[in-house]
Structures are given as C-alpha cells and as structure tokens.
Amino acid sequence: MDKLLEEMENLSEPSEDEKQQVKQEAEQYLKERYGEEFYVDDLHYIWQTDSWDMRGHLKSEKGWDFWVFKDDGQFEDTYFSNRLSRDAQKEFKPIIEKTFDSLINWETSVIAEDEVEDQYAKSIPSYQELRKETQKYQQIITIALATSLTEKNQEQEIEEVYRLVSYLNQNNIRAELDVLYYDPAIKKSGVKEVDFTRRTEYTEYSTGLIEIADVSEIKAKKDIKKNLIK
C-alpha cells in the first residue's frame, strides 16, 4: 500500500513549468495584497487535495518566513499574523523572562480577524498601534516552566502569573494564556524546548497547568486559582 501511494504521488508530481507558474502567481498575489516585493520557495504539491503550500519571504528583510497556500485556485497566507506575532514576541520577551524564574521556553501568536487584515494589508501597523485601533484580534501566549507546582509554592507561582495578566489587562490586550508546569527533571531528560504542538510527549513531567481563555476575566489573584488544573 505504501509503495502504491508513493507511485501515485510520483505520477501526480507537477512539472517544473507548473511549479514556476504557481510560484509566479503566488508572488504576484502577495505583491498585490501587501504592496511589497516577495518571493516564495519550498513549493509542495498535495495531490490528495489538489492544493499547494510554500514558504513566503519578504525581499527587503531576511531571516524570517511565513506560509502561503493555494487551494481551489485561491491563495491565502500567514504574513499579517506572523508580522504581528513578531512584534508581540519582541514586546513580551523582557516581561516574561523577568517574571518567570524557571522559564524553559515560550511562544506567542497574534491572529486578527479577516476584515482587519483586509483593511490594513497595504499598511500594516505595529502590534501596539493595531491595539489602539481595534479589538478584533486575539493573542495567544504559551509558557513552559521547569517548576513542580505544589501546595507550598502555589501562591508564589500564581503571583508570577498575575503579574503578567495585570500587564495584559492594563494595556487592554485581548489574550489567552497557558502556563505549563513541568518537573525540573524534564531538563535532565534532554528537553531544551517544549514543543507546544506535541504536549502529550511530556505528560510524565507535567505537574500542573494554568489555563486562562480570556485574561480580561481575571480581576484578582483568586481568579487565577480557579483556572489552575493539576
């Protein structure tokens, strides 16, 4: 069966001319949408769904990329979201690193509603500027800590989370926050960074989780305790 699927995939592999056509179409789509020069590479055809995915790059700025998709003849991309997420990463890096002593790693993403992306596509504001203009976005923050969450240190850990939540609320930031606590032995096992897309792989080290779907609902430290899962 695997060999048959492989043969079918090989038979469905687009020609070089087809790849170049899709590449040119994608670059033209990005230029028209954002008013800047881009190039795409790493094109991949998914024959089962007759669709494409590829990586997009801003010509004027090296060192980062984003996804571009073609499905049913239509293009979509993650450029707007990735750009805002990079802004958020820079803004929150010093805050998170200062707040959490046992930080393993963290990530954040910002997702704006389609109408916001369409409105600002040709003149993308910074994340801080966007927040002054609209609330039609959502920031997701995920943090991994090498701390065994216990009854003894629970209040201290809640205090740290509340510090971050307070910053978010004081700056009127719409956010979802997950703080994952792991036994410090996770580092000795060779884990340098937690892959947040594969959390089940670290279940044996998990000692607790604070899961807040909407930080604006947190008015006091006691509210964080209600979102603690052990």
Side-chain angles (χ1 to χ4, degrees):
M1 182 62 74
D2 289 343
K3 187 175 181 181
L4 178 60
L5 288 172
E6 185 178 347
E7 290 176 354
M8 290 178 66
E9 186 169 357
N10 289 336
L11 288 172
S12 304
E13 182 68 20
S15 67
E16 190 58 36
D17 286 345
E18 288 176 296
K19 285 185 178 181
Q20 286 302 313
Q21 181 179 343
V22 171
K23 174 180 167 65
Q24 291 172 9
E25 290 173 354
E27 291 171 349
Q28 183 63 29
Y29 152 78
L30 290 168
K31 182 177 182 179
E32 289 178 359
R33 179 164 176 77
Y34 297 109
E36 298 187 76
E37 295 289 339
F38 297 85
Y39 70 93
V40 301
D41 58 16
D42 197 20
L43 280 77
H44 178 221
Y45 177 68
I46 304 96
W47 63 272
Q48 297 93 330
T49 55
D50 189 25
S51 60
W52 295 79
D53 64 49
M54 62 205 84
R55 304 300 285 182
H57 310 264
L58 186 62
K59 284 187 177 181
S60 63
E61 188 175 349
K62 305 296 183 182
W64 71 292
D65 57 20
F66 56 94
W67 285 107
V68 182
F69 309 97
K70 184 182 182 183
D71 189 14
D72 197 25
Q74 300 297 313
F75 283 98
E76 293 185 357
D77 67 275
T78 64
Y79 176 64
F80 195 99
S81 177
N82 282 30
R83 186 155 158 175
L84 293 181
S85 297
R86 286 202 317 155
D87 283 354
Q89 190 87 17
K90 292 177 183 177
E91 178 181 352
F92 283 85
K93 186 176 188 291
I95 300 165
I96 289 176
E97 291 183 350
K98 182 178 179 180
T99 300
F100 298 100
D101 296 330
S102 59
L103 184 65
I104 302 175
N105 63 296
W106 68 285
E107 68 177 23
T108 189
S109 60
V110 179
I111 303 170
E113 294 185 14
D114 290 345
E115 63 185 86
V116 174
E117 290 201 19
D118 292 341
Q119 179 181 352
Y120 294 101
K122 284 190 168 59
S123 182
I124 301 177
S126 71
Y127 180 42
Q128 290 183 328
E129 290 170 340
L130 182 75
R131 298 199 304 257
K132 296 175 183 177
E133 299 295 328
T134 182
Q135 285 288 292
K136 294 181 178 181
Y137 70 90
Q138 180 73 13
Q139 180 171 354
I140 302 168
I141 305 171
T142 309
I143 300 170
L145 304 176
T147 296
S148 293
L149 192 61
T150 64
E151 291 295 330
K152 187 176 180 180
N153 68 3
Q154 183 174 289
E155 291 304 320
Q156 178 184 338
E157 297 303 322
I158 287 175
E159 170 67 37
E160 290 184 354
V161 175
Y162 186 65
R163 206 176 304 157
L164 175 57
V165 169
S166 296
Y167 176 88
L168 293 165
N169 286 332
Q170 287 166 8
N171 288 275
N172 198 29
I173 299 171
R174 296 187 67 239
E176 172 185 326
L177 174 64
D178 286 352
V179 183
L180 297 83
Y181 295 87
Y182 295 104
D183 188 306
I186 192 172
K187 288 188 171 181
K188 295 180 181 178
S189 72
V191 175
K192 295 182 179 179
E193 288 193 351
V194 171
D195 183 345
F196 296 120
T197 65
R198 306 170 72 176
R199 293 189 191 181
T200 55
E201 293 186 4
Y202 316 100
T203 302
E204 64 180 296
Y205 299 104
S206 178
T207 64
L209 164 68
I210 292 177
E211 192 173 53
I212 304 173
D214 183 353
V215 296
S216 69
E217 295 180 355
I218 303 298
K219 309 300 182 184
K221 294 176 192 175
K222 63 181 181 179
D223 298 329
I224 291 179
K225 202 166 186 177
K226 297 174 186 176
N227 293 272
L228 174 61
I229 303 170
K230 295 188 74 176

